[in-house]
């Protein structure tokens, strides 16, 4: 139609651009490098999944290229091999950043696990000795047996995940990762500059340069220079079995090649991991093959663990015994009577032999003389384990996820003033070292059972299929990431939930401080939109107050109305935008309007106000009595911090006051 008059503001142009995360407010002075030295607020060594994910998060939260530097020794992102699996909790986190769609559509979704064990021959089959003839499928179970928004794993090339992260990083950082740059030295030098006490030496094609930074994060892998420079010792196993791993396009008659499989035979063990479709239209498969040979650890790991007399040449010679041909031959032996081989001469995409044990660094953080946390390690730099439980990339990225918001809050002056150091930043080591130790304990049990034999044979002590399946199932909460529970600390008040929520089935969603908030389907009041509740908890570095109003919501003098008004007052005591409010109700939809409830709901939660019972009963899932209601504080990483009775706004105030600076 003809337009007679038109007017628009210049800001309208922004509406056609991609959306960007809103930076966090900064109460501390803006960072301005002074002097001839190259200085930063944060330097990240290593751009694998842990380091790159940390850079993306910090850039989204508001650190610019002048404040943030990430270096990596490799000239490009990973092109083949290494980690390939993303667990449900990791998918939830990537979803909270808007980065999960390509992974879900292009990756291979694993919904089921098949278990194959030695086939017991019977007399009816003509075998009077009861011998073992090949393998047979003994069960198929769900890959993820706990409640999750994405109830499956996804396998996709680690390099592709890194590319997705780097593409997102380009929206916030003109420089991105500084590649072909290797960290050669790092130390804490307070005498040189107490405000930028971490001194690092970087070698690149342009030469060697020295930089200073407030904080340095070592995401530089199992042989971490940062860890060794800080004199952190690895604690754990001292010798390991070798597993070979191959990515290839297979030719096979094995019936479950496109399912995740745990295969035990009299000749060894194999794990089958279906992979994504590649450019040729064919599908990759990953095989983990147990090689029957015990080896000693690499010499630098051995020295850290105090093992004498282990020479690098000896370790190398043992590794070189493992060839692609020997791995494929062993896989064929295990899969008999089925055959398996590369579909063509060039069908093998990548292969390697692992000799990684279960080890955890004694420390994750190094402080300066004033007690300020200066150097951190994340990912393989602080914990190594076998690849069979599919945890490496996931736990590593969650280390960075946990550290990122605490570090940015500290840098931006959003944490409560405390001396010495920053009590909020202290919780990184408390929480993530606990998880790393739990990971190692699980991995030891799972790996030893996977490497063992199943079924009776030659009088040896063997596992039953039921025993192995029990370990797999009970560990599912941990391996999926959905059952992770942080210990009591400044950011987790365990006792607060007593008597407020009902039930103990935390894996199914019952609210529990230290555990993540399970996703539920809700209906928005203002427009009837069907929503995933987790979508109102994006990873923007902000706290949220989740208010479960009671059935007295429409009573002006009721507890619900009084509490909602108090929440509005509470929000004003903190920096603007650092806390958001999400409100659920248990009333019938469309039976009231805005004027029937406190103004605070429309003011602070207009697009975050939901019917919590119509689509899914969030009250029942979370263990909240709708006649009483409740309040929960959800941390920036999606974990519950504290839970209180609906009327106990004082507990919420005290908890948040311990997490954030007040105005």
């Amino acid at each position: 139609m003809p337009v007679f008059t038109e007017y628009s503001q210049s800001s309208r142009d922004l509406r056609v651009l991609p959306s960007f995360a809103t930076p966090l407010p900064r109460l501390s002075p803006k960072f301005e490098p002074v002097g001839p030295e190259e200085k930063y607020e944060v330097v990240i060594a290593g751009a694998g999944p842990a380091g790159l994910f940390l850079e993306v998060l910090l850039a989204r939260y508001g650190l610019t290229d002048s404040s943030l530097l990430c270096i990596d020794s490799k000239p490009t992102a990973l092109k083949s091999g290494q980690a390939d699996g993303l667990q449900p909790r990791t998918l939830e986190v990537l979803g909270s950043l808007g980065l999960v769609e390509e992974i879900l559509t292009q990756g291979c979704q694993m919904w089921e696990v098949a278990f194959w064990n030695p086939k017991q021959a019977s007399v009816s089959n003509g075998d009077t000795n009861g011998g073992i003839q090949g393998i047979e499928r003994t069960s198929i179970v769900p890959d993820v047996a706990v409640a999750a928004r994405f109830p499956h794993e996804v396998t996709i090339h680690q390099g592709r995940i890194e590319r997705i992260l780097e593409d997102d990083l380009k929206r916030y950082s003109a420089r991105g990762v500084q590649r072909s740059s290797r960290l050669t030295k790092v130390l804490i030098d307070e005498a040189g500059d107490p405000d930028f006490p971490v001194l690092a030496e970087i070698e690149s094609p342009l030469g060697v340069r020295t930089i200073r930074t407030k904080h340095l994060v070592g995401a530089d892998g199992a042989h971490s220079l940062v860890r060794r420079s800080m004199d952190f010792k690895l604690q754990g196993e001292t010798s390991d079995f070798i597993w070979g791993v191959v990515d290839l396009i297979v030719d096979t008659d094995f019936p479950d090649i496109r399912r995740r499989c745990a295969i035990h035979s009299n000749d060894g063990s194999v794990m089958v991991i279906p992979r994504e479709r590649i450019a040729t239209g064919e599908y990759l498969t990953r095989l983990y093959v147990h090689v029957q040979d015990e080896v000693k650890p690499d010499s630098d790991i051995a020295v850290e663990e105090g093992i004498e007399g282990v020479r690098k040449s000896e370790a190398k010679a043992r590794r070189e015994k493992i060839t692609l041909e020997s791995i494929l031959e062993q896989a064929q032996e295990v899969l008999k009577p089925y055959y398996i081989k590369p579909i063509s001469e060039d069908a093998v995409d990548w292969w390697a032999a692992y000799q990684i044990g279960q080890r955890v660094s004694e420390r994750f953080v190094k402080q300066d003389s004033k007690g300020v946390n200066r150097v951190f390690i994340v990912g393989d730099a602080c914990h190594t384990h076998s690849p069979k439980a599919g945890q490496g990339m996931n736990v590593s990225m969650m280390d960075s996820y946990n550290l990122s918001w605490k570090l940015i809050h500290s840098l931006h002056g959003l944490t409560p003033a405390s001396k010495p150091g920053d009590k909020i930043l202290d919780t990184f080591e408390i929480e993530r070292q606990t998880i790393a130790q739990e990971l190692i304990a699980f991995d030891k049990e799972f790996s030893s059972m996977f490497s063992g034999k199943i079924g009776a044979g030659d009088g040896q002590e063997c596992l039953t299929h039921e025993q192995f399946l029990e370990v797999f199932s009970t560990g599912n909460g941990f391996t999926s990431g959905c059952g992770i529970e942080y210990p009591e600390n400044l950011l987790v008040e365990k006792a607060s939930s007593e008597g407020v929520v009902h039930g103990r089935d935390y894996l199914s969603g019952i609210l529990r401080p230290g555990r993540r908030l399970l996703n539920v389907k809700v209906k928005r009041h203002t427009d009837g939109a069907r929503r995933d509740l987790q979508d109102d908890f994006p990873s923007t570095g902000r706290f949220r107050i989740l208010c479960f109003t009671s059935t007295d919501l429409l009573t002006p003098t009721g507890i619900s109305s009084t509490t909602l008004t108090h929440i509005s007052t509470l929000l004003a005591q903190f920096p603007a935008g650092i806390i958001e409010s999400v409100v659920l109700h248990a009333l019938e939809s469309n039976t009231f309007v805005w004027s029937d409830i406190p103004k605070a709901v429309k003011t602070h939660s207009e697009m975050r106000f939901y019917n919590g019972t119509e689509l899914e009963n969030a009250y029942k899932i979370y263990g909240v009595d709708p006649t009483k209601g409740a309040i929960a504080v959800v941390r920036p990483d999606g974990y519950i911090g504290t839970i209180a009775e609906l009327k106990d706004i004082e507990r919420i105030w005290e908890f948040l006051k311990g997490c954030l600076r007040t105005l």
Side-chain angles (χ1 to χ4, degrees):
M1 68 179 181
V3 176
F4 297 102
T5 304
E6 184 175 29
Y7 168 79
S8 68
Q9 296 183 3
S10 59
S11 61
R12 186 172 181 173
D13 294 340
L14 299 176
R15 301 176 191 176
V16 300
L17 296 175
S19 58
F20 291 86
T22 305
L24 286 166
R26 181 158 191 158
L27 303 185
S28 60
K30 182 180 178 181
F31 174 68
E32 297 287 353
V34 178
E37 288 185 294
E38 185 179 353
K39 294 181 180 179
Y40 298 93
E41 291 191 286
V42 179
V43 171
I44 303 167
L52 187 54
F53 194 47
L54 180 60
E55 184 181 19
V56 168
L57 290 165
L58 292 176
R60 278 172 162 253
Y61 295 156
L63 287 192
T64 63
D65 284 351
S66 64
S67 295
L68 175 64
L69 174 68
C70 179
I71 63 170
D72 193 84
S73 60
K74 300 187 297 293
T76 65
L78 188 72
K79 293 187 181 298
S80 63
Q82 297 194 22
D84 65 348
L86 293 173
Q87 298 287 349
R89 176 55 187 159
T90 310
L91 294 174
E92 289 179 353
V93 171
L94 290 170
S96 74
L97 291 160
L99 301 177
V100 78
E101 287 306 316
E102 180 180 341
I103 293 168
L104 292 176
T105 57
Q106 300 298 314
C108 173
Q109 297 186 10
M110 296 194 298
W111 288 79
E112 293 182 333
V113 183
F115 292 89
W116 288 74
N117 293 304
K119 183 177 182 180
Q120 298 292 331
S122 62
V123 175
S124 61
N125 290 334
D127 185 347
T128 56
N129 296 321
I132 296 175
Q133 298 179 337
I135 55 175
E136 64 181 350
R137 185 201 293 147
T138 48
S139 63
I140 296 177
V141 302
D143 184 67
V144 176
V146 299
R149 182 174 181 177
F150 306 102
H152 54 78
E153 293 181 64
V154 173
T155 54
I156 192 169
H157 194 300
Q158 177 180 319
R160 191 163 187 173
I161 296 167
E162 292 178 8
R163 194 266 301 157
I164 291 170
L165 292 175
E166 280 208 78
D167 285 350
D168 189 65
L169 178 62
K170 290 174 185 176
R171 302 167 61 212
Y172 302 91
S173 167
R175 181 179 57 228
V177 177
Q178 193 171 91
R179 296 196 174 276
S180 299
S181 299
R182 184 170 64 93
L183 188 71
T184 56
K185 184 172 72 174
V186 58
L187 57 92
I188 295 179
D189 172 35
E190 294 176 74
D193 190 333
D195 295 324
F196 296 82
V198 185
L199 187 70
E201 186 179 88
I202 299 172
E203 183 181 88
S204 72
L206 298 177
V208 177
R209 73 186 199 271
T210 300
I211 64 170
R212 284 190 173 271
T213 180
K214 290 181 179 179
H215 305 281
L216 185 139
V217 183
D220 50 343
H223 302 281
S224 170
L225 173 71
V226 176
R227 183 189 67 237
R228 287 182 279 130
S229 297
M230 295 300 106
D231 198 28
F232 295 163
K233 299 294 188 293
L234 284 174
Q235 300 172 335
E237 296 296 318
T238 59
S239 63
D240 314 285
F241 288 99
I242 287 182
W243 280 73
V245 56
V246 187
D247 286 340
L248 75 166
I249 303 165
V250 297
D251 175 16
T252 182
D253 61 349
F254 180 65
D256 283 335
I257 198 65
R258 293 309 298 171
R259 281 191 178 95
R260 181 184 175 193
C261 296
I263 305 169
H264 288 87
S265 83
N266 247 22
D267 294 302
S269 304
V270 169
M271 180 174 283
V272 175
I273 305 292
R275 290 281 304 273
E276 71 274 15
R277 184 183 181 184
I278 58 177
T280 62
E282 298 166 298
Y283 289 85
L284 283 175
T285 298
R286 173 165 289 191
L287 301 177
Y288 286 107
V289 182
H290 182 211
V291 180
Q292 308 292 320
D293 185 24
E294 191 172 349
V295 300
K296 296 178 181 179
D298 283 345
S299 59
D300 62 336
I301 298 287
V303 169
E304 286 188 67
E305 295 176 348
I307 305 169
E308 300 298 334
V310 179
R311 300 188 310 273
K312 181 173 283 189
S313 58
E314 180 184 354
K316 183 179 179 181
R318 288 176 178 271
R319 287 197 302 273
E320 288 178 348
K321 288 182 180 179
I322 311 303
T323 64
L324 173 62
E325 290 71 25
S326 68
I327 295 172
L328 293 175
E329 287 172 7
Q330 178 65 16
Q332 177 61 79
E333 287 298 312
V334 173
L335 264 69
K336 285 181 178 178
Y338 304 101
Y339 77 86
I340 187 168
K341 61 182 180 180
I343 199 168
S344 62
E345 290 185 1
D346 60 349
V348 175
D349 186 62
W350 170 81
W351 74 275
Y354 285 95
Q355 58 178 89
I356 300 174
Q358 294 93 3
R359 304 179 181 91
V360 182
S361 175
E362 61 181 349
R363 297 296 308 273
F364 284 21
V365 179
K366 184 75 169 183
Q367 297 179 336
D368 64 16
S369 63
K370 300 181 182 67
V372 179
N373 300 295
R374 294 299 186 183
V375 179
F376 307 84
I377 52 174
V378 295
D380 289 351
C382 51
H383 45 71
T384 62
H385 47 87
S386 77
K388 293 181 288 299
Q391 292 300 291
M393 180 164 52
N394 296 273
V395 177
S396 296
M397 291 172 70
M398 293 306 101
D399 287 343
S400 297
Y401 190 51
N402 184 284
L403 175 61
S404 62
W405 68 270
K406 298 172 182 179
L407 187 55
I408 196 71
H409 278 214
S410 179
L411 286 168
H412 279 203
L414 297 172
T415 55
S418 61
K419 291 185 178 181
D422 188 319
K423 300 301 182 185
I424 299 299
L425 207 46
D426 289 345
T427 65
F428 165 70
E429 184 175 64
I430 295 170
E431 294 185 340
R432 294 311 297 177
Q433 192 172 47
T434 298
I435 299 306
Q437 290 166 345
E438 291 175 358
L439 165 65
I440 297 310
F442 170 79
D443 190 58
K444 281 182 181 178
E445 182 177 18
F446 187 75
S447 296
S448 62
M449 294 188 78
F450 198 95
S451 299
K453 290 186 176 181
I454 289 186
D458 301 329
Q460 298 179 24
E461 184 176 343
C462 296
L463 299 168
T464 66
H465 168 63
E466 288 71 23
Q467 287 174 317
F468 183 79
L469 188 59
E470 182 180 359
V471 171
F472 176 85
S473 300
T474 55
N476 204 250
F478 186 86
T479 57
S480 67
C482 298
I484 294 297
E485 182 173 327
Y486 289 134
E488 177 90 20
N489 65 77
L490 187 62
L491 296 171
V492 177
E493 288 187 347
K494 298 281 188 185
S496 65
S497 62
E498 296 297 325
V500 181
V501 296
H502 307 282
R504 295 186 178 276
D505 190 1
Y506 304 122
L507 281 175
S508 295
I510 299 297
L511 297 180
R512 169 78 167 166
R515 287 181 178 256
R516 71 63 156 112
L517 179 73
L518 176 69
N519 184 60
V520 295
K521 300 285 187 180
V522 290
K523 180 180 176 181
R524 190 156 57 195
H525 171 79
T526 193
D527 58 2
R530 276 62 174 167
R531 298 267 294 171
D532 289 287
L533 187 61
Q534 280 186 350
D535 287 344
D536 279 319
F537 296 80
S539 296
T540 60
R542 288 160 172 81
F543 280 82
R544 277 94 185 182
I545 296 175
L546 176 57
C547 182
F548 297 84
T549 60
S550 69
T551 49
D552 73 348
L553 176 60
L554 301 183
T555 304
T557 58
I559 294 176
S560 294
S561 293
T562 302
T563 297
L564 289 167
T565 302
H566 285 162
I567 288 175
S568 180
T569 303
L570 181 150
L571 294 177
Q573 305 304 308
F574 295 93
I578 195 63
I579 305 174
E580 296 175 344
S581 174
V582 180
V583 182
L584 301 185
H585 71 82
L587 305 180
E588 187 177 343
S589 292
N590 304 320
T591 58
F592 60 92
V593 294
W594 289 116
S595 59
D596 296 325
I597 60 177
K599 292 181 180 179
V601 180
K602 193 171 190 298
T603 300
H604 299 291
S605 312
E606 179 178 7
M607 302 301 284
R608 296 188 295 270
F609 178 45
Y610 298 102
N611 181 305
T613 58
E614 187 170 324
L615 302 182
E616 288 185 294
N617 194 332
Y619 283 77
K620 182 178 181 180
I621 291 171
Y622 292 143
V624 176
D625 183 345
T627 65
K628 296 181 179 179
I631 320 175
V633 174
V634 183
R635 308 180 341 175
D637 54 7
Y639 286 78
I640 305 294
T642 191
I643 304 170
E645 294 180 351
L646 188 58
K647 63 183 178 182
D648 193 1
I649 198 70
E650 184 64 26
R651 177 183 285 275
I652 302 300
W653 162 250
E654 289 298 327
F655 177 79
L656 287 170
K657 194 170 61 171
C659 301
L660 292 165
R661 176 173 293 186
T662 55
L663 298 176

